[in-house]
Amino acid sequence: MVATANPVVEAETTAGTNDSFATREMLPAGTTHVLGSLVIGADLEASDYQFSGQLAPDEADFYTIPNLPPNQPFYAWTDNSNSGIDTVMGTFNGDQLLQVDDDGAPVGNGLASAVGGTVNPDGTIRIGVSGFPDFSFDGMADPPPSFPGDPLPSSNFTPQGGDYSVYLQLGTSSPMDIDVETADYTFAETLIPGNVDVITLDDLPAGESFVVWIDNSDSGVDTMLGWFDATGDMVDFNDDGSPLGNGLGSILVGEVADDGSLEFRVTLFPDFDFTGEYTGRMPEMPSFEPRPHGVAGEYDLYVKLGIDSLPGDVDFYTFPGLQPGSEFVAEVTLANFDPMLGWFDDQGQLITVDDDGGEGVYPRLVGTVPSSGQVTLAVTSFADFEFDGSHQAVSDYVLRFDAPTR
């Protein structure tokens, strides 16, 4: 018979431990939905060092940890849960900046930072914490330095479009304060490949602070959001900063222009030029006016020795009691990250993997139930093609499974 709706919540006893084929979770027969969660793959409570800081709007804070074994790996992160401030973090060897991060922390509101590295040859770890966009750690706003990032798609890449919503909230510059229910402006749009959507607002209070963000929950579309002035020059842009959706929506913070106008453009990644062409070419950003970074608030800094990145979580599930030879369909239907789905045979060998075969960035697999009458699937995040936790996504998800049962 065909299984009826039977949602199963990933067991608390296996969440974070069903991360291999050997430790897979055996689901009840007839399960059609799994409400799962990718969790942090390390115990963040067991940090080796903790500092509490109060960031001033025109300063950067520095911390030095001495007397450590040279070349030992470490991982450091800020937690901005109490203030919601947008931190930037860097590692240093003396005065030389080694690595910088803006929004990579696994805790906080999405604007906290995290870096990994190794202890300096002199046995020290030196960390700087400042406010966005102070990437030079001198208390002043400046453009980000050039550090290697994820590889961009090929030049003939065409992204998938989809529905999205844009929200604008006036009177705040903190993403912690935004609320779709109290947003001043809301726009429901559909982004088509090759097109760039333009949103223009007039008669706004000059100098008023604002937050504009995208919710891509309906489609998972990978957006880019640009802010342009009255002459058509780009003021700022963002790719994946939105706290809503699957992690691929965008967000910007700023102040209304002197003429009371705002213009935003929405396009698909990687259209950095906002032309509807997906070249992956980074835009030339306007120079920053010399000014303090302006971020003020409290934060906590944690340092954990022995690791230089957080191991990611992978969830393995076995669906038993199925009709051999019948077709099954498996897909992730909701997630706040870019999920991937793998199908494994009864010996734990990977049969196939899918990334974006479903709606938007969601994966979908179709296959034939083997003679054993069970199917083993694994959920991870892009780009963990080996299903070994090589990612840092932390989020809930819904896995749907459909197949005839015995």
Side-chain angles (χ1 to χ4, degrees):
M1 66 177 180
V2 177
T4 56
N6 184 14
V8 172
V9 178
E10 182 186 9
E12 291 184 4
T13 54
T14 60
T17 60
N18 59 332
D19 54 2
S20 70
F21 180 83
T23 60
R24 64 195 183 275
E25 181 176 349
M26 185 68 68
L27 298 171
T31 298
T32 61
H33 293 76
V34 177
L35 311 181
S37 180
L38 296 186
V39 300
I40 296 173
D43 183 9
L44 296 183
E45 298 296 328
S47 62
D48 295 287
Y49 298 90
Q50 179 180 353
F51 307 90
S52 294
Q54 180 75 33
L55 196 60
D58 57 353
E59 295 180 359
D61 298 337
F62 289 90
Y63 301 85
T64 299
I65 304 173
N67 304 320
L68 298 174
N71 301 316
Q72 182 180 17
F74 71 88
Y75 182 75
W77 66 97
T78 55
D79 185 351
N80 65 351
S81 297
N82 292 329
S83 64
I85 62 172
D86 191 352
T87 62
V88 177
M89 181 189 292
T91 58
F92 293 79
N93 183 6
D95 292 330
Q96 179 186 5
L97 178 61
L98 302 177
Q99 188 178 1
V100 67
D101 179 72
D102 180 17
D103 299 333
V107 294
N109 69 340
L111 299 177
S113 315
V115 291
T118 57
V119 175
N120 292 322
D122 64 357
T124 65
I125 295 174
R126 188 165 188 250
I127 296 172
V129 179
S130 192
F132 178 86
D134 177 18
F135 292 95
S136 57
F137 295 86
D138 59 0
M140 303 296 288
D142 46 24
S146 297
F147 283 87
D150 295 332
L152 293 170
S154 61
S155 58
N156 60 357
F157 170 77
T158 300
Q160 293 185 355
D163 297 335
Y164 67 96
S165 297
V166 178
Y167 299 92
L168 176 73
Q169 191 158 329
L170 297 170
T172 180
S173 59
S174 172
M176 289 286 290
D177 297 335
I178 62 176
D179 185 347
V180 296
E181 298 297 330
T182 59
D184 296 283
Y185 296 89
T186 303
F187 306 89
E189 306 287 348
T190 299
L191 197 52
I192 300 173
N195 289 359
V196 178
D197 295 344
V198 179
I199 297 173
T200 302
L201 295 170
D202 297 305
D203 301 323
L204 301 175
E208 183 86 348
S209 58
F210 70 83
V211 180
V212 58
W213 70 99
I214 289 176
D215 184 355
N216 66 350
S217 299
D218 290 338
S219 66
V221 60
D222 190 352
T223 62
M224 298 191 67
L225 177 62
W227 171 21
F228 292 78
D229 64 19
T231 66
D233 291 332
M234 185 187 296
V235 179
D236 199 0
F237 79 96
N238 179 260
D239 180 16
D240 297 334
S242 177
L244 299 184
N246 68 343
L248 300 178
S250 315
I251 189 170
L252 286 170
V253 175
E255 294 181 355
V256 176
D258 291 340
D259 64 359
S261 69
L262 284 173
E263 180 182 314
F264 303 107
R265 302 179 190 178
V266 182
T267 187
L268 293 165
F269 178 85
D271 178 19
F272 291 96
D273 292 326
F274 290 82
T275 61
E277 299 178 358
Y278 308 104
T279 63
R281 182 176 61 252
M282 291 290 289
E284 293 185 7
M285 292 298 296
S287 60
F288 280 73
E289 294 288 337
R291 58 177 174 83
H293 61 71
V295 178
E298 60 185 67
Y299 64 90
D300 293 309
L301 170 64
Y302 299 88
V303 180
K304 186 177 181 66
L305 300 176
I307 60 173
D308 59 9
S309 63
L310 287 181
D313 187 19
V314 184
D315 290 339
F316 282 77
Y317 304 100
T318 293
F319 294 81
L322 308 175
Q323 182 66 47
S326 62
E327 181 182 84
F328 74 84
V329 178
E331 58 185 344
V332 175
T333 60
L334 183 64
N336 193 29
F337 61 101
D338 187 356
M340 294 177 59
L341 191 59
W343 175 22
F344 292 77
D345 66 19
D346 293 341
Q347 286 71 49
Q349 299 299 309
L350 181 62
I351 299 173
T352 188
V353 60
D354 185 72
D355 179 19
D356 298 335
E359 291 291 328
V361 299
Y362 296 153
R364 186 175 190 267
L365 287 174
V366 178
T368 301
V369 176
S371 58
S372 63
Q374 63 183 30
V375 170
T376 297
L377 303 172
V379 179
T380 188
S381 181
F382 183 84
D384 182 21
F385 289 96
E386 300 298 324
F387 289 82
D388 59 4
S390 298
H391 69 87
Q392 294 188 1
V394 178
S395 178
D396 298 333
Y397 62 85
V398 176
L399 171 62
R400 188 185 74 86
F401 184 82
D402 184 25
T405 58
R406 291 175 174 172

